[in-house]
Amino acid sequence: MLLLPWPLRRTQLRELHLTKFFLTLTVTLVASYLALRYLPWPFSFIVVILFWCAVRLPKLQAFVLFFLNASFMSMLLAFGLVSVVNQ
């Protein structure tokens, strides 16, 4: 949003397709959590999910989605909510 000219007009907000972005963000965050929690080699599955999003979204939205997903996974691993080590 910071890269857009201000003040924003309603037509510019409609062009952003925010509902599609937030729906895709929710799906990727849930899928990433489930992959980290239950699947073997979770990062392989997460990369496939993020490739799907990169094709589906415009560049700026895809970058924000990748950043938020990486931050989410880092927080899950840092706080010990998931473990990727086999026991």
Side-chain angles (χ1 to χ4, degrees), residues 6-61:
W6 290 92
L8 290 176
R9 296 183 191 93
R10 288 189 185 267
T11 57
Q12 290 173 328
L13 286 175
R14 271 189 247 124
E15 291 173 1
L16 289 177
H17 306 289
L18 292 178
T19 55
K20 179 179 170 181
F21 170 72
F22 285 119
L23 179 66
T24 308
L25 177 65
T26 304
V27 167
T28 57
L29 291 178
V30 169
S32 297
Y33 173 75
L34 293 174
L36 282 172
R37 184 88 176 152
Y38 298 110
L39 295 176
W41 305 292
F43 296 109
S44 302
F45 292 100
I46 292 170
V47 166
V48 171
I49 294 166
L50 292 178
F51 281 154
W52 171 73
C53 294
V55 170
R56 184 175 169 88
L57 295 173
K59 289 180 190 174
L60 179 64
Q61 292 177 354

Side-chain angles (χ1 to χ4, degrees), residues 70-86:
S71 301
F72 176 71
M73 289 187 303
S74 299
M75 288 177 58
L76 286 176
L77 292 170
F79 292 134
L81 298 174
V82 294
S83 176
V84 291
V85 178
N86 291 335

